[in-house]
Amino acid sequence: MRVSIVGTGYVGLVTGACLADKGLQVRCIDIDAERVRQVNLAQAPIHEPGLDTLLKRTAGANLQATTDLAEAVRRSDVTMIAVGTPLCNGRIDLQYVQAAAHQIGAALRDRQGGRYHVTVVKSTVVPGTTNNVVIPALEAASGQRAGEDFGVGVNPEFLTEGQAIADFMAPDRIVLGGLDERTIDVLEDLYATFPDAPRIRTNNSTAELIKYTSNALLATMISFANEIGNLASAMRDVDVAEVMRGVHNSNYLSPRLADGTRLRAPITSFLEAGCGFGGSCLPKDVRALITHGTEAGASMRLLQAVIDTNVAQPSRLVDLARAGLGTLDRKRVTVLGLAFKPDTDDLRESPAFPIIDQLLSEGALVTAHDPVAMAGARKRSNGKSVAFAEHLDQAIEAADAVVIVTRWDQFDELPRIIAAHDKQPLVVDGRRMLPRNSVAKYAGIGLGTP
Ligand code: NAD
């Protein structure tokens, strides 16, 4: 099977490298020539554990990167669209998907013979996009008919940044949407080397909504836990961590086996108070679904509340720092963790940035540190008066408060590092990752103050 993938970002590159490692012939396409060059040199342009190793095995062999979309599409049986779908005024901006569909269609016009070519949308798009936007663009540019001359499907991606390779290689499900059975059968061939993964064969719009519903559920869990955490904070003697431990131990979430051991459902990690969700997917997808649902005449009140809670959450950490220090004006505050989650350098929608902005607006002297995302953060800070510290030790030197935003394993060392300093800063634990008595001055999200 020969596959071309339009868009060599997180999703396109991880998909391409993994499929190539499974033995498929893969061409990753991007408009960014530098990215293409790096991939062909087996250098990962993004930080993702295991990606460098995969590229070393596949780049130049059965994985090739190119800027020549037309040639790559002509030489493939399946073309995946994995370009960005950023949010613009509450809606997903379809310009990249439309451009990709148009270019693929134009390439199909010149394609001679071969198998029933299938274009499959991997980008996250609201229900109806593939049928109402992608298919018309492909038909107009190719002069051919979908369902007769070529197939069109939807194969949403569920990988999590930071564990993307493992997620892709051992998928919990493979959703195969298609405009006809023939399309879905071609997609089955594409995933033939993943025989154990459960398939969901469905139509395009259902496949699109499966992806949004999955992300909206995770976002809802997080905002729910934060709402309970904020209630706990307002009380004198309640700790949300204990509340959630009690909730997690329900048989619904952690079933007890006959031998007394418990199976802990990974979803429990979304049921913990924190700084709110960020990243390139959850905030964008929930907002896009709200607009889509509202325009379709379905009320999305619950999801609007999920977003409202999330937008307010980062300022809770600033409140804790201010309460602990009396004022933030002229206080040295260190923000630890800039990536939206550990094991990635992705800064998109990270709660660290509203926290930094609010600290600066209240007169704090802000230092920031992240184990891998420093270069991107420096670029993004663009003139703001934030000091960047390369090392954790250096970051907390002279700090009045340290605010933990991302649960990096490296920050487990904080109590030991802080203990070696004369000055003991207030630690505002936005992820509840440290034992509360491991440092002299501690304030945790969702921890009632007596
Ligand atoms: P990204 O921004 O990292 O990558 C998109 C790439 O597409 C860029 O490198 C860009 O240069 C390229 N591109 C744009 N137009 C092109 C064109 N016409 N031809 C060739 N290349 C083109 O995006 P991403 O994070 O990989 O996300 C892609 C899609 O997958 C989005 O819809 C996103 O919502 C969805 N998704 C992302 C994740 C994730 O964790 N990042 C997970 C699941 C789904």
Side-chain angles (χ1 to χ4, degrees):
M1 169 80 67
R2 299 165 309 163
V3 189
S4 52
I5 304 173
V6 187
T8 309
Y10 275 94
V11 169
L13 183 55
V14 168
T15 302
C18 289
L19 290 179
D21 205 46
K22 288 277 192 178
L24 283 75
Q25 293 297 324
V26 179
R27 280 180 187 235
C28 282
I29 307 153
D30 210 286
I31 43 179
D32 180 341
E34 172 56 19
R35 183 165 281 242
V36 164
R37 192 187 67 83
Q38 279 178 284
V39 173
N40 283 331
L41 290 173
Q43 293 166 0
I46 50 172
H47 175 87
E48 187 59 45
L51 186 56
D52 271 317
T53 314
L54 268 195
L55 287 179
K56 283 200 176 72
R57 277 209 294 268
T58 55
N62 51 341
L63 173 71
Q64 284 176 18
T66 179
T67 53
D68 188 346
L69 180 144
E71 209 243 350
V73 170
R74 274 188 225 114
R75 293 169 62 114
S76 52
D77 308 302
V78 170
T79 300
M80 293 178 151
I81 298 181
V83 297
T85 46
L87 201 70
C88 182
N89 298 327
R91 289 183 177 74
I92 48 167
D93 180 353
L94 285 175
Q95 63 166 308
Y96 305 105
V97 171
Q98 275 173 312
H102 187 85
Q103 290 169 278
I104 296 165
L108 290 179
R109 186 181 276 275
D110 304 332
R111 194 170 179 266
Q112 303 293 322
R115 288 175 64 158
Y116 184 66
H117 181 276
V118 168
T119 298
V120 58
V121 177
K122 219 172 190 8
S123 300
T124 303
V125 292
V126 295
T129 304
T130 300
N131 288 349
N132 301 328
V133 176
V134 175
I135 290 181
L138 287 167
E139 288 186 332
S142 66
Q144 299 173 11
R145 292 294 305 271
E148 287 176 19
D149 304 307
F150 59 82
V152 183
V154 173
N155 169 225
E157 183 49 62
F158 297 98
L159 60 77
T160 305
E161 287 178 23
Q163 53 183 64
I165 308 282
D167 283 352
F168 194 95
M169 288 303 207
D172 47 5
R173 70 209 121 151
I174 297 180
V175 175
L176 302 176
L179 88 170
D180 55 8
E181 289 297 311
R182 211 171 150 199
T183 294
I184 302 176
D185 289 343
V186 172
L187 297 180
E188 291 276 11
D189 284 353
L190 174 70
Y191 285 106
T193 49
F194 299 81
D196 301 330
R199 282 11 183 204
I200 294 146
R201 292 173 63 108
T202 185
N203 63 38
N204 286 338
S205 300
T206 305
E208 289 164 336
L209 189 52
I210 288 171
K211 172 65 189 173
Y212 275 95
T213 306
S214 302
N215 276 359
L217 175 66
L218 300 180
T220 303
M221 296 280 214
I222 294 170
S223 279
F224 171 72
N226 283 332
E227 191 163 280
I228 300 295
N230 296 339
L231 171 62
S233 298
M235 304 178 73
R236 290 180 159 273
D237 51 359
V238 179
D239 178 355
V240 73
E242 282 174 33
V243 172
M244 287 306 171
R245 204 173 332 130
V247 173
H248 293 173
N249 275 326
S250 138
N251 261 341
Y252 293 120
L253 295 168
S254 309
R256 224 161 159 242
L257 305 180
D259 65 1
T261 55
R262 277 196 181 272
L263 278 184
R264 177 60 44 94
I267 191 96
T268 53
S269 68
F270 291 82
L271 279 170
E272 283 171 359
C275 325
F277 53 83
S280 66
C281 292
L282 295 195
K284 155 176 95 76
D285 292 352
V286 176
R287 283 195 165 94
L289 191 58
I290 291 170
T291 305
H292 177 73
T294 309
E295 287 177 356
S299 149
M300 293 279 135
R301 284 195 299 263
L302 175 63
L303 292 182
Q304 187 56 54
V306 166
I307 288 292
D308 294 345
T309 300
N310 197 57
V311 168
Q313 197 64 16
S315 69
R316 297 272 172 178
L317 273 75
V318 181
D319 294 345
L320 287 174
R322 190 191 313 102
L325 299 177
T327 173
L328 291 168
D329 194 29
R330 315 286 316 150
K331 298 289 183 183
R332 295 182 181 280
V333 182
T334 296
V335 174
L336 289 184
L338 302 168
F340 84 95
K341 58 173 290 200
D343 292 325
T344 177
D345 58 355
D346 196 340
L347 300 166
R348 291 178 278 188
E349 300 268 345
S350 168
F353 295 99
I355 290 171
I356 289 174
D357 287 346
Q358 195 178 341
L359 288 169
L360 290 173
S361 74
E362 294 194 33
L365 307 168
V366 178
T367 298
H369 168 77
D370 188 280
V372 305
M374 296 292 280
R378 268 204 185 86
K379 233 184 261 166
R380 198 188 149 139
S381 75
N382 198 12
K384 284 186 195 149
S385 48
V386 178
F388 287 95
E390 285 300 328
H391 302 288
L392 182 55
D393 199 2
Q394 180 197 355
I396 61 165
E397 220 170 62
D400 296 303
V402 171
V403 180
I404 302 175
V405 178
T406 315
R407 189 193 281 269
W408 282 100
D409 285 348
Q410 287 87 330
F411 301 158
D412 286 336
E413 291 298 306
L414 259 184
R416 192 187 55 74
I417 298 172
I418 288 176
H421 285 253
D422 292 340
K423 185 171 168 185
Q424 296 295 295
L426 167 72
V427 175
V428 176
D429 188 350
R431 296 292 176 186
R432 299 303 303 273
M433 63 179 289
L434 300 181
R436 52 204 268 199
N437 50 12
S438 63
V439 290
K441 297 181 208 161
Y442 181 87
I445 197 95
L447 179 61
T449 31

